[in-house]
Amino acid sequence: MSDTSALANKKALTNWPSSRLLECAEAHPHDIELLAFILGELGRRDVEVAQSAARRVSQLLNRAESGAAENPTAAAIERDGRLEHLRARLEATEQRLREAESRAAAAERALATEALPARSNGLLRRVHLAETAPAWLVDAARRAFRLRFHPDRFADPAMKSRAEETFKEAEEVFRQITTSHGG
């Protein structure tokens, strides 16, 4: 588990070993709220490692509190810097999300315009199977077609209707193949 996800979910910190909590505290020596939480968590534990870690976290907490009290301007500047860093990370994440959504939309459009298997060929050719395909391969191909052409995957009504048509046709082909195999 990463430190950033643990910071967002402090309940997860309660499951961490004492040494890992100390590492997290040392990685965030200026986060007074986090240090206080870790100190409280270590105080609830009855092992020597936790008591030793609690002493070190207490030192970090005292240093952080005295630093914030001595120089509130520097603390505010540091806090603003951290906020700016988080904003930049959020913006980069949003940009990656927009790019992923764009790629997904392009892939969905490409899938909608993809040529369906030709109707003039035999049943097995339309679902990309050989005449001697074993039953397990027929089942695997059926699952793959269901995943790829299931109408619920598409938001656009035109693509959804095309997927429904393809899905129904493939299901009919697979039903015929299954009955011809004797299953």
Side-chain angles (χ1 to χ4, degrees), residues 11-126:
K11 185 175 182 185
L13 290 174
T14 60
N15 296 328
W16 284 12
S18 301
S19 60
R20 182 75 172 106
L21 287 173
L22 178 59
E23 289 174 12
C24 182
E26 289 175 340
H28 302 90
H30 302 293
D31 190 341
I32 295 172
E33 182 182 335
L34 176 66
L35 293 174
F37 181 82
I38 291 174
L39 183 61
E41 179 57 34
L42 291 171
R44 284 191 276 280
R45 300 180 182 185
D46 265 350
V47 293
E48 179 59 35
V49 174
Q51 293 168 0
S52 174
R55 285 191 294 274
R56 174 68 179 132
V57 171
S58 179
Q59 291 171 354
L60 291 171
L61 183 59
N62 290 339
R63 195 173 301 147
E65 288 174 343
S66 66
E70 288 176 8
N71 195 351
T73 307
I77 291 172
E78 184 179 337
R79 183 183 64 242
D80 291 344
R82 281 187 273 152
L83 285 174
E84 191 58 38
H85 173 72
L86 289 173
R87 282 189 191 107
R89 285 180 57 194
L90 179 62
E91 186 176 309
T93 302
E94 288 173 344
Q95 178 64 29
R96 285 194 305 272
L97 179 62
R98 285 191 295 272
E99 291 169 358
E101 287 173 344
S102 172
R103 286 192 305 271
E108 196 170 288
R109 285 191 302 275
L111 182 60
T113 59
E114 179 181 327
L116 294 175
R119 291 178 185 264
S120 61
N121 294 337
L123 293 176
L124 298 173
R125 296 262 322 179
R126 286 196 305 209

Side-chain angles (χ1 to χ4, degrees), residues 145-156:
F145 261 73
R146 285 178 175 169
L147 287 173
R148 185 167 187 182
F149 293 108
H150 197 282
D152 291 343
R153 289 188 59 222
F154 302 94
D156 182 42

Side-chain angles (χ1 to χ4, degrees), residues 4 12 22 43 47 66 72 90 116 128 131 157-158 161 164 172 174 180:
T4 54
L22 178 59
V47 293
S66 66
L90 179 62
L116 294 175
H128 309 288
E131 301 277 339
S161 66
E164 284 176 5
E172 178 60 26
F174 283 117
S180 71

